[in-house]
Amino acid sequence: MHGKKRKREEEEEQTHSTMLPLEIKHDISKRINEIVNCLRTRCKLVQGVLQLEILRQIAMPKHSQSEPRKPRQTTSLAIEHKVYGRDTERDNIIELLTKVKSCDLGVLPLVGVGGVGKTTLARFVYHDQRIKDHFDLRMWVCVSDNFNEKNLTHEMLELVCKDRQGYKNIISFDVLQNTLWEEIRGKRFLLILDDMWEDGDRSGWDKLLAPLKCNEVSGCMVLATTRRASVARMIGTMSKVEVNGLDETVFWLLFKEWAFLGNEKLECNPTLQSIGKHIAKALKGNPLAARSVGALLNRSVSFDHWRKVQHKWKFLLKQDDDILAILKFSYEFLPVHLQHCFSYCSLFPKDHKFNGKKLVRAWISQNFVKCECRAERLEETGKQYLDNLVDWGFFEEVESHYVMHDLMHDLAEEVSSDECATVDGLESKKISPGLQHLSIITTAYDREEPCNFPREKFENILQSIGSLPKLRTLMFFGENSIMLLRSLNTICKESKRLRLLKIYVTAADISSTHNLFKPNHLRYLEFIVVPTNNMFGSRGIVNTSIPQALTKFYHLQVLDVSSKGNLAVPTGINNLINLRHLIAHEKVHSTIAGLGNLTSLQELIFKVQDADNFNIGQLRALNELVILGISQLENVKTKQEASSARMIDKEHLEELSLLWNDNSMNPEPTAEKSRDDVIEGLEPLQNLKHLQLIRYSGATSPTWLASRVTSLQVLHLENCRQWQIVQSLEMLPLLRKLKLIRMWNLMEVSIPSCLEELDLVNVPKLEKCVGTYGLDLTSGLRVLIVKDCPILNEFTFFHKDYFHAEQKSWFPSLNKLIVSRCHRIIAWKILPLEEMQALKKLELMDVPVVEELSVPSLEKLVLIQIPRLQSCRGITTAPSPHFSTSQGDQRELVCGLRELTINDCPSLLVQFPIPPSSLISFLSIKGLSSFPTMVINRRVLTIESNELSELDGRILLFHNLKGITWVNLRRCPNLTRISIDGFSQPHVMSKPVHDNSIPITSYPVLPSVNSLSIQSCGIAGGWLTLMLPHLQSLENLELRDCPQIKLLSTSQCTKIEAPNSLASAETTSARDKYLLQIPYNLLRSLKRLIIWACRDLEFSGVNEGFGGFTSLVELQIRDCPRLVPSLVSETKDNWLLPTSLQYLTISPLPANMQLFAPEGLTCLRVLSVFCSQYLKSVQLRSCTALECLQLLECQQLSVLEGLQHLSSLVSLDIEMNHELSMAWDHKLQEQEQGSNQVGLFPLSLVHLGITNLEGSVHSRFLCLPSITKLDLWNSPDLKSLQLGYCTALVDLAIDSCKSLASIEGFQSIRNLRSLRVGDSPSVYPCLQLMSQQQGASDIFSQLETLTVDDASVLSVPLCKHLTSLRVLGLHRDGYSGKSMVSLTEEQERALQLLTSLRQLNFYSYQNLEFLPANLRSLDSLEELHIVRCPRILRLPEMGLPPSLKYLLLCGCSEELCMQCRMAETEKLKMVLAAAESSKIDDRPLSESLDELKELLYDAEDVMDELDYYRLQQHIEDISVNQSIP
């Protein structure tokens, strides 16, 4: 069928022998006979009716009543390159908008019919310079008929507050509106509300405008566009402006632009002019109609075509003058294949931004696309279809996507109503059982919590639809549609013809979803995997797999499983020989064995491996590839082997990446020659557009690069370490992007003209980067990045003769400029960049000469290590005499900043408070002499300063911090007060507002802050008391080392009112100065409270302890000696703690508290008691939920009651002492004598950590058959250990047990996976001895992780048993102080025996000079960590293992770091710290045509099934042939 690649050319001689099962053969034969008989009958009827129809004109049907509209999406971006005939209206509207002086909000409605140009006129006004100059803030919101005041408020916030974190989690409409009011307060704004339909909800309109009306700035305006006069009457405060059609003269100019497209010769043709003007006159000046009908005429600018259009036009005029009928007239002239493509788009939501590639693939899946030329790809033809629909006015192209006007969407819905339907929201709609395409749209609920999704209502609608046996398309839109999966069974139960499925799923759903549809027809399958929340509430990595059943979907063309998760690939996926697009992580591509069978693939990331099913010859037949990446090319040894990929045959290839991953430092000459041969064998065709070479070690470029690949547009060279010169680039006339990265020996490069992007990164020997002077060199440049080119001296772009003299015209298009550690190219004290108006991102690092800097309005500014910089216009003190800038202009320069970094610029004085803009999402201010260290990152604000005494509006703009969730004040010893004025920002509204609008109250400036941390600060309790009421969302409070907080009150008797000024704070008494009073609201909301090192802190007044904190989950009190005693009631029989507690840490308990017996804490899961030297007894019987217990440094503890009965306890860390040891020894003796059968520990215990053990540990002490993890540490007097009963042990750690020399029962531990030994020298001889005993293999063969501090453990007898070892850690110098310089020969030999090793760590070997010489031979090693080994200067001469993927360096020499940078590769990552043309009135004919269409679909399905079985047998034959030796 259309566009299908059946590949019969290769198998025609085998087709006749295709053996089908008898029942299938009979069924297909019967269906074909039925179709043929029906076709004969219907064709005779159609022929007879058509003979009658030829005798008369077929009139166009009356336009039917359109269904309720769906949301339309418009944009403020200018789409029209020229606006015709609206200058007068524009000027009139601008005058109306700008002359208003009242403080009342003005609303000006624009009213006009659909397509008349209301949105275009609004855009025309919106972008006028007079509007920009008059208004401080402009907002554009598309309303459409889905009027929802909360959603519209959200959209306005998106425009004025780019940091979405500041409001996206806010549920309260009141808080949302207050947040909006904060953002617009004090600014004159213009709000465009485009495409309003709601005329009945007056209260909703008033609520929407409430925060806008509260802005007491004169001249604020709303401009609203609508088709309805009733809307204008409801909302307008001014007389409406009617937007009518263009006058005849201007309209003709617009119409002929579309009809003639600037062909002046044809424009002068009097006949065509006459016809065109006749048609244009009937369009009544409607611009959308001009575009549609003009594009229709332009399809063939000829007399015959225009007369035909004019002839049909006469019949249209007699019947209908509605705009939709005019658009439908243009649709009628579309070729049938474009009608199918256009009408199919009715399935998508009205606000949809179409991805061109995905849309074309969907068309292909439905056989809408057919190639007339065999050399052309279906995707290319489909893209031409889309371009035609754009040219003819049915789509608009906006940036990187496509949009459809709402009237065009209405048209698509009408003409596709027989075949397509949508379930959009809860709108009820009758759907025919013969429906072929269905979409289910839930996007209106995307901002709702899952619990608010109307699942049952949607399921009822889907149940009412029933089964759809002829369904070919099923698409879901909206993440919450994942909740409707169980309704799929109803829809898909009889849907055996499905060709496209787009669905939202969880990872767990994928394996079962394929059961809902049959393999015979499916061509397009898209799984949008929605991550689920893990146990910590965050979305983790998705782990899933492609179902094995999908390997039998032989017609599949698109498999889209793109996700951030880990995806496993089933065997046999190479059976999908029609697969054109596999959209998934590159790891998926690299795990497909026998990938050469997928001859239809168009994108591929291929990793060459030694195995036959992964060698480069697999690429031989993949001649449909458009994008290809080949890595691990070091596995290709000869030119002949490389040529087996047949790159020269891949005529469609546009993007090619060639990567070598071999990281040997000194390759042999023969290896270099081999690589030269290999790359010559990979020569592509000349139409290549994008080439990437990474780690190619040849000395020069391949011969074909500049001589034959002349269409190249992007050239990316990385780590081609032998290249010294890049030349002949002038032979690439189309080159637009040049990237040179880590070119270690490159000294000179010649830059061609017309580049758009130039990247020079880490090119340490580069001296010259030159090009021919002229605007051709710089006028198109958009991105310039120059980093780590320390000796670059001759650089044409920054030549002083051009840069200063012609700066305005030198970089007219430059958007991004980065200069870092290139000392010689910027040698001026004054760096004026303000003329670069296109510049949005500027990064300067280590530029030692510059003293003064001027910049235009930026989005990102980074200034690092510029020691002499004194002035940066817009963010510093008064500008230099060299720059003339007003303070208002300075503020405007920073108001658009999203990211600001100023580090280590000690001479720079910051003028404005920080952050300068509410749009800031990242901020870093460090190393400024007069300003505190301040960081905003991931919604956390951190402030640190030794000098800061008061935090107020001169330093911090509180109202620009609405997105902050955590405030962290640390190491500010002199900070004694925080401006309460800054925190509260009280709102005063002078005029009344609607009852349902914003209340007249003070509103907190930091509505999102849920965590406050104050560490080592001098702030007093009284100031903190005044601050806390303004943090109404606070859940976590942390106080550490705050000496001025001495009193704490948690009394519920008094509610604290939030003061509105500093004056009230200054009237407090001396006692109140130190008093921290927790406000009433926090007693109910605080979940986590940490108080550390507040040594003078104690409760004040009525002592209720923390019992009133009804939501408190975690409480930590450490080093607060006056606070802890108050936590016990006066009768000392109860602790004043809330029953909600789950985590409790107390350290230390005072001398008068020798008994610790918490009662009523039934929810307590974790208990930690530290450093309590007077504690003697702990009673835990009531803590029935306890899971983790820590008792450390409690030297007199002798009684631990209830431990054995804690059935939920899984982890215990305890420090032994003499009294406790005696008590437990006594219990063990009772056990042996039979008088006590209860063990020391509960059977639920899994992890046991013990310190300070002495002597010999009896076997019954560790009678723990369920324990899996045992930590023994800091027990210098422990001599022997018996582990015979710890049979389930998996993880054993022994640390600081210097006398431990005997471990008995080790042979009973058969599940040990991890062993760590440190500072326990006598353990190593014990291990060596065990390795030589019988059964040693059973002990050590399961070990996966071994961490030691003595390399002597690397002996041949031991290592030969470590057959499963994956991680080996050598940590710090040995126990005896010996310094290891290198491994011994025996240790090197032993290391080579670890064939399964994946990770090797060297930590803190201060004298280690050499890594293992044979490191490269560890061919399974993937990770290498080298930490604090400063004397290692180089890698081994043989290099690193080819399997290595991750290299971590920390605290190592610069020489080693440089070598490792050069060894980095793409693989090795280094870390440093449709419908018919018209409906015919004749009912019999219409019905017959519909039946014919259905028969054709049936015939197509039968052929599909027949083709499916042919493919199935073909694949089975291949499998049989491959299995024969």
Side-chain angles (χ1 to χ4, degrees), residues 884-899:
S884 58
T885 309
S886 68
Q887 190 179 64
D889 290 338
Q890 284 183 302
R891 292 185 183 276
E892 187 174 342
L893 289 174
V894 297
C895 68
L897 272 175
R898 269 74 168 172
E899 297 182 40

Side-chain angles (χ1 to χ4, degrees), residues 102-105 136-137 139 180-190 209-221 988-991 993 998:
S102 170
C103 288
D104 294 330
L105 180 66
D136 302 317
L137 180 64
M139 297 174 281
L180 174 62
W181 187 80
E182 275 293 322
E183 293 292 343
I184 65 174
R185 186 165 60 94
K187 300 174 184 176
R188 180 187 295 137
F189 63 80
L190 169 64
L209 294 192
L212 309 180
K213 290 180 177 179
C214 295
N215 193 19
E216 297 181 345
V217 177
S218 63
C220 294
M221 293 295 299
V988 180
M989 301 181 185
S990 60
K991 54 182 181 295
V993 296
I998 301 173

Side-chain angles (χ1 to χ4, degrees), residues 32-253:
I32 290 176
N33 286 329
E34 290 175 351
I35 291 170
V36 170
N37 291 333
C38 288
L39 280 172
R40 287 172 179 165
T41 303
R42 292 303 167 191
C43 283
K44 289 180 181 178
L45 176 60
V46 171
Q47 184 180 12
V49 176
L50 284 177
Q51 285 175 344
L52 296 174
E53 285 294 310
I54 290 173
L55 302 178
R56 61 185 177 88
Q57 296 288 342
I58 302 175
M60 295 292 292
K62 196 81 172 174
H63 170 54
S64 61
Q65 184 70 28
S66 61
E67 295 183 12
R69 298 180 70 260
K70 294 178 185 175
R72 173 195 179 195
Q73 196 71 16
T74 65
T75 174
S76 66
L77 293 175
I79 296 175
E80 309 81 8
H81 71 277
K82 181 178 180 180
V83 179
Y84 285 87
R86 296 300 190 191
D87 291 5
T88 302
E89 288 99 326
R90 175 200 60 193
D91 294 342
N92 178 37
I93 292 170
I94 290 174
E95 183 180 357
L96 291 172
L97 293 174
T98 56
K99 73 177 183 181
V100 176
K101 304 301 181 185
S102 170
C103 288
D104 294 330
L105 180 66
V107 182
L108 176 62
L110 299 187
V111 183
V113 297
V116 78
K118 301 181 297 297
T119 299
T120 298
L121 178 55
R123 270 196 293 259
F124 202 22
V125 170
Y126 187 84
H127 289 288
D128 192 277
Q129 191 61 45
R130 290 168 288 179
I131 292 293
K132 294 179 181 179
D133 293 339
H134 183 76
F135 292 99
D136 302 317
L137 180 64
R138 296 173 302 142
M139 297 174 281
W140 181 288
V141 176
C142 178
V143 182
S144 196
D145 61 354
N146 185 20
F147 186 91
N148 181 299
E149 55 267 30
K150 184 177 179 180
N151 287 345
L152 294 174
T153 303
H154 255 291
E155 290 195 38
M156 284 188 269
L157 278 169
E158 287 179 357
L159 296 168
V160 299
C161 180
K162 296 300 181 184
D163 180 13
R164 295 188 62 189
Q165 304 299 331
Y167 58 85
K168 75 171 187 177
N169 294 324
I170 297 177
I171 298 175
S172 167
F173 180 49
D174 177 65
V175 176
L176 273 177
Q177 290 207 302
N178 275 287
T179 305
L180 174 62
W181 187 80
E182 275 293 322
E183 293 292 343
I184 65 174
R185 186 165 60 94
K187 300 174 184 176
R188 180 187 295 137
F189 63 80
L190 169 64
L191 170 63
I192 306 284
L193 294 176
D194 190 37
D195 197 26
M196 283 221 23
W197 286 79
E198 180 58 57
D199 60 358
D201 187 4
R202 177 75 200 193
S203 64
W205 172 252
D206 289 338
K207 291 176 185 177
L208 176 67
L209 294 192
L212 309 180
K213 290 180 177 179
C214 295
N215 193 19
E216 297 181 345
V217 177
S218 63
C220 294
M221 293 295 299
V222 176
L223 179 65
T225 71
T226 180
R227 298 187 198 179
R228 297 180 174 180
S230 57
V231 174
R233 287 192 295 271
M234 183 185 80
I235 68 175
T237 63
M238 307 166 67
S239 298
K240 68 177 185 289
V241 174
E242 293 192 4
V243 184
N244 299 310
L246 299 173
D247 72 52
E248 193 170 323
T249 303
V250 175
F251 185 74
W252 170 246
L253 295 176

Side-chain angles (χ1 to χ4, degrees), residues 1360-1376:
K1360 71 180 182 181
H1361 298 304
L1362 300 177
T1363 55
S1364 300
L1365 195 70
R1366 300 175 63 87
V1367 180
L1368 173 62
L1370 300 174
H1371 291 211
R1372 72 187 175 182
D1373 277 327
Y1375 62 92
S1376 63

Side-chain angles (χ1 to χ4, degrees), residues 608 616 630-637 657-661 678 682:
V608 183
I616 198 168
I630 311 176
S631 63
Q632 298 182 185
L633 276 166
E634 67 276 7
N635 292 324
V636 182
K637 305 301 182 184
S657 298
L658 303 177
L659 300 90
W660 285 259
N661 292 330
V678 167
L682 295 173

Side-chain angles (χ1 to χ4, degrees), residues 1407-1419:
N1407 296 299
L1408 185 64
E1409 297 181 9
F1410 303 101
L1411 290 170
N1414 293 315
L1415 186 64
R1416 182 177 174 82
S1417 300
L1418 297 175
D1419 51 14

Side-chain angles (χ1 to χ4, degrees), residues 1324-1474:
Y1324 296 115
C1326 181
L1327 293 176
Q1328 297 289 2
L1329 181 61
M1330 283 189 288
S1331 70
Q1332 300 174 32
Q1333 295 176 350
Q1334 187 175 3
S1337 179
D1338 295 334
I1339 300 173
F1340 296 109
S1341 62
Q1342 302 298 317
L1343 202 63
E1344 296 178 355
T1345 301
L1346 176 61
T1347 304
V1348 296
D1349 63 354
D1350 187 352
S1352 67
V1353 77
L1354 293 177
S1355 66
V1356 171
L1358 176 61
C1359 289
K1360 71 180 182 181
H1361 298 304
L1362 300 177
T1363 55
S1364 300
L1365 195 70
R1366 300 175 63 87
V1367 180
L1368 173 62
L1370 300 174
H1371 291 211
R1372 72 187 175 182
D1373 277 327
Y1375 62 92
S1376 63
K1378 295 185 297 185
S1379 296
M1380 184 173 71
V1381 176
S1382 66
L1383 296 184
T1384 66
E1385 290 185 7
E1386 181 187 0
Q1387 291 165 359
E1388 289 264 12
R1389 288 196 303 272
L1391 186 63
Q1392 297 303 309
L1393 297 174
L1394 305 179
T1395 56
S1396 60
L1397 197 63
R1398 298 290 187 274
Q1399 180 177 329
L1400 177 59
N1401 304 335
F1402 292 93
Y1403 279 19
S1404 299
Y1405 279 86
Q1406 298 294 321
N1407 296 299
L1408 185 64
E1409 297 181 9
F1410 303 101
L1411 290 170
N1414 293 315
L1415 186 64
R1416 182 177 174 82
S1417 300
L1418 297 175
D1419 51 14
S1420 296
L1421 195 67
E1422 296 179 352
E1423 292 192 30
L1424 176 61
H1425 297 194
I1426 308 174
V1427 178
R1428 294 186 296 278
C1429 300
R1431 295 198 176 186
I1432 302 177
L1433 302 181
R1434 63 180 183 272
L1435 295 174
E1437 290 186 4
M1438 293 178 62
L1440 298 172
S1443 57
L1444 201 65
K1445 297 179 180 178
Y1446 182 85
L1447 175 58
L1448 171 67
L1449 296 183
C1450 180
C1452 296
S1453 68
E1454 184 58 36
E1455 292 89 342
L1456 180 63
C1457 292
M1458 176 59 73
Q1459 267 207 327
C1460 291
R1461 286 193 196 101
M1462 296 178 67
E1464 188 173 12
T1465 68
E1466 179 266 344
K1467 175 184 175 182
L1468 174 58
K1469 302 300 180 186
M1470 188 189 73
V1471 175
L1472 278 175

